[in-house]
């Protein structure tokens, strides 16, 4: 992804979606909300409650993406 051009970004997104599967964001939301080690690392870097906020935002995105 040598530049931020739209074509390269779209291609990278398409490749990423294939490699990680359609439930990637659902998996990430669950990680932010339930994995204690991950939660502690995120909260340490970004402040208490950051992991929960991000996890809930991702969960909202996943639920509304399917509509």
């Amino acid at each position: 992804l040598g530049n931020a051009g739209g074509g390269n970004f779209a291609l990278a997104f398409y490749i990423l979606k294939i490699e990680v599967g359609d439930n990637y964001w659902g998996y990430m939301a669950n990680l932010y909300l339930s994995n204690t080690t991950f939660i502690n690392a995120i909260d340490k870097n970004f402040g208490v409650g950051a992991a929960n906020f991000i996890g809930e935002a991702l969960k909202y995105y996943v639920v509304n993406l399917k509509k």
Side-chain angles (χ1 to χ4, degrees):
L1 301 178
N3 64 34
N8 287 342
F9 179 76
L11 177 62
F13 177 79
Y14 178 75
I15 292 170
L16 179 64
K17 183 176 181 183
I18 291 171
E19 289 179 359
V20 298
D22 289 332
N23 193 36
Y24 174 76
W25 293 116
Y27 170 78
M28 289 304 295
N30 189 48
L31 190 65
Y32 277 98
L33 294 170
S34 65
N35 185 302
T36 307
T37 303
F38 195 78
I39 292 168
N40 290 337
I42 296 299
D43 285 354
K44 181 178 179 183
N45 284 318
F46 299 105
V48 176
N52 186 63
F53 179 83
I54 295 168
E56 290 295 334
L58 288 173
K59 188 167 68 171
Y60 179 84
Y61 170 76
V62 169
V63 168
N64 289 293
L65 179 67
K66 295 178 183 178
K67 289 184 179 179

